[in-house]
Amino acid sequence: IWFSQTQDLDMDSLMWTPIAADSSMCFKGNYDGQGFKITNLNLINDSVIYAGLFGHIEDVVIKNIKLEAYVASDSSYSGGLAAFASGGIHIEGCDISGKISNGSGIAGGIIGVYGKGNGNVGDMVINNCTSSSVVKGYFSGGFIGFSGGDMVINNCTSSSVVEGDYSSGFIGYFQGGDMVINNCTSSSVVEGVRSAGGFMGECRPSGEAQFLNCISNATISGPQDLGGFFAIYYEYGNSSFKMKNCVSNATIQFFYGTGGTSIGGIGGY
């Protein structure tokens, strides 16, 4: 089923209830914003489990949305476009701004949490998207707060302001299989209590993690584990790491803390 937006929508006078707002619901259609805007989307509700334009999405194509969202919730998951995503996800040509706040949970400028899909590279594909959101959460990312599935991100830009325990310009915490970030730029301002990175806070792949043709112009600060691309990288079993044609111009600011400290232009630890 395809849904197409046919005009700009100003939601200023409404308090939004997410589409598929809890675990008993799931949006499985496809949405084409056709380049129209959705502005002043407001959601302030601690009782909503999945807080965003969409709550739970699965096996969808979402494209060409220009979204300005203001989401404040202490629920489980918060995201500008969607709070929780699973299965085959394709997001194309979206521009996300606003403020996403989840003090004790997971927050992402585009997606809060991505769950495991079908086990193939590219279960989640994000192409030609931008995020300029202000994002705050325990796990927080300019694009995705937490990912537990395979994913590919191509030709994307993050100029987000991100704050959290595990935080980054793109993915706050990755614990999936294979991951590719290609031809992307992070100019985000990132502050992390436990880890902070220009592209990724903490990276724990069970497959191959690749950064290709990427640039980090991020400003990163915190008391421990800071990196221009990633703060922490762990190998598991047969996992591997590849970086090619990447540049780090990151500015890193260390604040004295009580934890162990690792700092690097590419990776902290």
Side-chain angles (χ1 to χ4, degrees), residues 181-197:
I181 298 180
N182 176 55
N183 198 33
C184 293
T185 300
S186 176
S187 300
S188 300
V189 177
V190 182
E191 183 174 344
V193 175
R194 297 175 184 270
S195 63

Side-chain angles (χ1 to χ4, degrees), residues 65-81:
I65 292 179
K66 298 184 183 299
L67 174 65
E68 178 192 41
Y70 299 92
V71 177
S73 176
D74 276 334
S75 64
S76 298
Y77 315 125
S78 298
L81 187 62

Side-chain angles (χ1 to χ4, degrees), residues 13 34 39 41 51 54 60 93 138 147 187 203 220 234 240-241 251:
S13 61
Q34 298 196 109
T39 55
L41 186 141
F54 295 92
V60 300
Y138 186 81
S147 175
S187 300
C203 183
I220 300 153
Y234 288 100
S240 61
F241 178 84
T251 299

Side-chain angles (χ1 to χ4, degrees), residues 34 43 55 82 90 108 133 159 163 171 173 182 193 231 236 238 244 267:
Q34 298 196 109
L43 195 165
H90 189 104
S133 304
S159 55
E163 181 180 332
I171 305 169
Y173 197 104
N182 176 55
V193 175
Y236 286 98
N238 295 321
K244 184 177 180 180

Side-chain angles (χ1 to χ4, degrees), residues 228-241:
F229 274 78
F230 56 88
I232 301 173
Y233 171 75
Y234 288 100
E235 284 189 355
Y236 286 98
N238 295 321
S239 66
S240 61
F241 178 84

Side-chain angles (χ1 to χ4, degrees), residues 42-55:
N42 293 286
L43 195 165
I44 303 174
N45 190 337
D46 290 342
S47 65
V48 173
I49 297 174
Y50 299 143
L53 173 63
F54 295 92

